[in-house]
Amino acid sequence: MTRTPLFDTHCHLDFPPFQDDIGGHIELARQHQVERILIPSVGPSNWQVIANLATHYPNLYFALGIHPHFIGQDPQVMLQQLEKVLAETSQHTRLVAIGECGLDFIVDTPADIQEQILIRQLELANEYQVPVILHSRQSHNRLLQLLKQTPPIKGGVLHAFSGSEQQAKQFIKFGLKIGVGA
């Protein structure tokens, strides 16, 4: 039986559990037909790290963004940094998305700040014509409202989805794939 090669659209290979043997983890994934892996960023602290990994390993790709858990003290400065790095990196052949970005109504960052950061990242995804890697925790309905205002023209992935079938169908209408955990 021939198995279809897989593309893992959300693996934080730069995080500590993988750091001791990134090459070994990539090989293990390959043995299980995962031929390509996308590393989403969380913020300025790992943008360069994941770009370097994608340059070093030919089957790795990356996304640049600001995760709602990692919004710092000055969100506007973070957005300016993101815009600058995107302008400098946009020709990198392995930069394939904006993200990880989204809403998380469990973290302490005020919802209005998260929404401003997300909306700008959706705009950037549309400007650069790339998909988005979305995070949503206890925020599916609000995320759907914001996507109506700024729909991602290239779609994307909503990872670790935990909503209802009705919500999933609404996200799919925006061209998003629904990611589920194992």
Side-chain angles (χ1 to χ4, degrees):
M1 179 170 97
T2 303
R3 293 176 61 165
T4 304
L6 302 172
F7 188 151
D8 183 338
T9 62
H10 200 103
C11 184
H12 291 283
L13 276 173
D14 60 310
F15 280 15
F18 301 106
Q19 287 177 344
D20 289 341
D21 188 15
I22 291 173
H25 290 289
I26 292 170
E27 176 56 26
L28 182 61
R30 191 196 60 74
Q31 291 173 15
H32 292 279
Q33 280 69 48
V34 178
E35 291 190 1
R36 295 179 292 166
I37 299 170
L38 186 141
I39 308 170
S41 66
V42 295
S45 65
N46 75 334
W47 292 338
Q48 189 60 54
V49 171
I50 64 173
N52 290 343
L53 284 172
T55 299
H56 185 72
Y57 295 97
N59 62 331
L60 297 185
Y61 300 83
F62 68 102
L64 295 178
I66 303 167
H67 189 292
H69 283 227
F70 297 90
I71 295 173
Q73 295 293 338
D74 196 339
Q76 295 308 315
V77 168
M78 290 181 83
L79 277 176
Q80 290 169 356
Q81 290 174 323
L82 177 60
E83 291 173 14
K84 181 177 187 262
V85 170
L86 282 170
E88 294 169 351
T89 315
S90 66
Q91 299 304 311
H92 194 300
T93 59
R94 301 198 184 271
L95 173 61
V96 296
I98 301 294
E100 177 175 359
C101 57
L103 301 175
D104 192 323
F105 291 163
I106 292 177
V107 298
D108 291 336
T109 304
D112 63 322
I113 300 293
Q114 291 185 50
E115 291 175 12
Q116 291 171 16
I117 299 293
L118 171 60
I119 290 167
R120 182 62 188 133
Q121 290 179 94
L122 290 169
E123 292 169 350
L124 287 167
N126 289 341
E127 287 173 30
Y128 285 94
Q129 296 188 17
V130 294
V132 291
I133 307 299
L134 291 171
H135 173 96
S136 178
R137 191 159 60 157
Q138 293 191 1
S139 59
H140 291 329
N141 290 333
R142 183 60 181 146
L143 180 57
L144 283 164
Q145 291 171 342
L146 294 176
L147 290 173
K148 287 177 186 171
Q149 295 173 22
T150 311
I153 60 175
K154 292 293 186 176
V157 176
L158 175 59
H159 89 97
F161 180 73
S162 63
S164 69
E165 179 182 352
Q166 179 184 12
Q167 289 170 323
K169 288 177 179 178
Q170 290 177 310
F171 284 117
I172 290 167
K173 287 180 182 177
F174 287 107
L176 297 171
K177 307 296 184 205
I178 304 298
V180 291

